[in-house]
Amino acid sequence: MNRLNLENHLASLADLDGTLRTLLLSVAQSCTRISAAVARGALGGVLGSLESENVQGEVQKKLDVLSNNLLIESNERNGCLAAMASEEMDTLYPIPDDCERGPYLLLFDPLDGSSNIDVNVSIGTIFSILRAPGSQPAQESDFLQAGTQQVAAGYAVYGPQTMLVLTLGQGVVGFTLDPDSQEWVMTHPHITIPADTAEFAINMSNMRHWEAPVRRYIEDCLTGDTGPLGKNYNMRWIASMVADVHRILMRGGLFMYPRDARASGKKGKLRLMYEANPMSMLVEQAGGAAIDGHIRILEAQPDELHQRIGVILGSRNEVERVKRYHQED
Ligand code: AHG
Ligand code: MN
Ligand code: MN
Ligand code: MN
C-alpha cells in the first residue's frame, strides 16, 4: 500500500471541490519552497532585516518578503483565486488580468515568528482560505468575513521537521515533509487537543499591561498545587505562534496573547484575518476552544484587513476557565 500523502489524501475526499484541491496543493508547494529557503539560512543569504517597514509598523526581515513573494508567485497563476492578502502587503493583491481567476481568497502570514529567524528557532507560514463573494475584480471588503466562513486553514511549521497541519472543517490532519522525496507524508491523521492542561504560554514581560482577569488567572496558576487551581503549571513561550500552537495541538496547553489594558494595545498584537482566525479554526476542529477573552474568535466580524484581536486558545477546559475569570469582572 502506497503511504498516504497530501495528494492522495485530498484525492480521497470525494466531496472536495477540485479547485480547492488544486489551491491546497499549490499552497503546500509554496511552503515546500519556503522550507528550502529557511533551511539554507545564512547559506542562502536569507537572514537579517531589510530597511523597509510593513503596514504593521514592523521592520521586515528578508525572509518575510521572500516568503511573501514565493506565495504570490506560486499561487497567482493557479486559476483558483480572485485575490490574496498578506501581513506583508498593505492591501489586497488582485490576480493580474493575464491570469485566470478563481472563486477563492487566500490570506497568509507568510513568515510567522520573524523575531526567531536569525536565531534558528522554529518559524512558520499560516494561511486561511475564504470564498470570494463574486464581485469582480476583488476588493478589500470581500475579505472582511468572519472566521466561521473559512473553507480551509492551515500552517507549515519549519522546525526540526517541516510539517503541514491542515483543516477543511472535518478535523485536523498533519503531514511531514520527506526531505528526500519532497513529499508531504501523512503522519498525523487525526489531531486532537487534550481537554485539560497544566501548561500555559504567554509573554510574561507584558504582565503590567494585562487586563485584570488575565493577571488573576496567571497569578493563580503560579500558586502551584496548593493554590485555587490545584495543579503545578508549567510555562512555555517560543514567540512563534505557529510553534506554540503546534505544541498545543500535539500535547495540549493554553496560548494567550491577550488584549492590552492600554488604549494603544487595546486590540492585542495578533492579527485576526491571517493569524487568529486560521489558528482558531484548527484549534476548534481539534476539539479545543479560541476566544478573545469574551467572544469566540471565529465569530468576530472584521472591519479592516489588518485588524488585531486578543487571543486565548487551546485546551477546551482551560479556555473555559479563563473565560470564567473574564466573566467575574
Ligand atoms: P510575526 O512574526 O508574523 O509578526 O508574528 C509574531 C507574533 C507571533 O508569532 C508570536 O506569538 C508573537 O508575535 C510573539 O510576540 P512577542 O515577541 O511580543 O512575544
Ligand atoms: Mn505572525
Ligand atoms: Mn509574519
Ligand atoms: Mn510580522
Side-chain angles (χ1 to χ4, degrees):
M1 161 70 180
N2 288 337
R3 63 185 181 176
L4 266 181
N5 60 28
L6 179 64
E7 207 136 8
N8 51 40
H9 170 67
L10 294 180
S12 72
L13 304 178
D15 56 356
L16 179 63
D17 166 42
T19 306
L20 181 54
R21 181 166 64 238
T22 303
L23 176 55
L24 290 165
L25 290 170
S26 175
V27 171
Q29 176 58 17
S30 316
C31 294
T32 303
R33 297 178 65 192
I34 296 170
S35 177
V38 167
R40 291 193 58 75
L43 297 175
V46 298
L47 304 183
S49 299
L50 299 168
E51 300 297 311
S52 52
E53 250 189 36
N54 61 15
V55 67
Q56 326 285 340
E58 301 164 339
V59 172
Q60 289 181 304
K61 297 283 194 181
K62 288 179 188 170
L63 214 42
D64 284 326
V65 174
L66 173 67
S67 307
N68 183 72
N69 296 348
L70 281 176
L71 279 153
I72 295 289
E73 193 188 300
S74 303
N75 291 286
E76 67 179 342
R77 298 184 179 283
N78 60 24
C80 305
L81 296 173
M84 295 185 244
S86 164
E87 177 200 348
E88 301 304 334
M89 297 188 296
D90 293 8
T91 185
L92 79 158
Y93 180 89
I95 297 304
D97 292 343
D98 63 339
C99 298
E100 184 198 347
R101 285 199 178 90
Y104 294 107
L105 299 172
L106 176 65
L107 303 91
F108 45 83
D109 175 358
L111 204 292
D112 173 67
S114 302
S115 67
N116 284 323
I117 291 171
D118 298 341
V119 295
N120 199 11
V121 170
S122 298
I123 48 183
T125 297
I126 308 171
F127 62 91
S128 169
I129 299 174
L130 294 168
R131 281 187 187 78
S135 61
Q136 295 290 354
Q139 48 198 334
E140 197 165 292
S141 57
D142 294 347
F143 286 86
L144 303 183
Q145 303 177 37
T148 47
Q149 300 306 303
Q150 294 175 103
V151 295
Y155 61 79
V157 53
Y158 313 115
Q161 301 92 49
T162 286
M163 281 192 68
L164 181 74
V165 175
L166 176 65
T167 183
L168 300 169
Q170 276 95 33
V172 181
V173 187
F175 302 85
T176 302
L177 184 65
D178 181 326
D180 300 322
S181 66
Q182 288 296 292
E183 194 187 6
W184 293 104
V185 180
M186 186 190 284
T187 48
H188 299 69
H190 181 58
I191 296 174
T192 54
I193 302 178
D196 293 296
T197 185
E199 189 165 71
F200 65 82
I202 194 166
N203 181 339
M204 294 293 282
S205 70
N206 295 328
M207 181 176 272
R208 65 191 180 287
H209 303 318
W210 297 339
E211 295 175 327
V214 171
R215 186 199 292 268
R216 280 203 313 274
Y217 167 71
I218 294 294
E219 282 165 356
D220 285 352
C221 286
L222 299 178
T223 57
D225 55 7
T226 56
L229 303 185
K231 41 188 177 179
N232 293 319
Y233 279 78
N234 188 27
M235 197 206 97
R236 288 284 183 275
W237 188 250
I238 304 175
S240 292
M241 185 185 196
V242 169
D244 280 312
V245 171
H246 187 71
R247 182 191 59 254
I248 288 167
L249 283 168
M250 293 296 105
R251 72 182 190 211
L254 182 79
F255 173 93
M256 298 202 282
Y257 211 112
R259 295 190 308 200
D260 192 316
R262 295 168 298 171
S264 61
K266 203 69 195 134
K267 289 198 163 183
K269 171 177 184 180
L270 299 178
R271 284 59 56 124
L272 174 61
M273 298 307 293
Y274 39 80
E275 289 175 314
N277 270 344
M279 290 312 207
S280 297
M281 181 178 182
L282 286 160
V283 164
E284 285 198 4
Q285 282 293 316
I291 60 174
D292 74 345
H294 301 276
I295 65 156
R296 187 178 168 223
I297 287 174
L298 291 180
E299 290 175 356
Q301 181 51 48
D303 47 37
E304 56 175 27
L305 189 57
H306 297 292
Q307 81 182 59
R308 298 165 189 257
I309 191 167
V311 177
I312 296 166
L313 60 74
S315 292
R316 174 165 293 282
N317 293 343
E318 202 67 17
V319 173
E320 288 305 319
R321 184 197 306 276
V322 177
K323 190 170 184 177
R324 288 195 294 276
Y325 275 78
H326 282 77
Q327 289 163 344
E328 285 158 13
D329 254 23

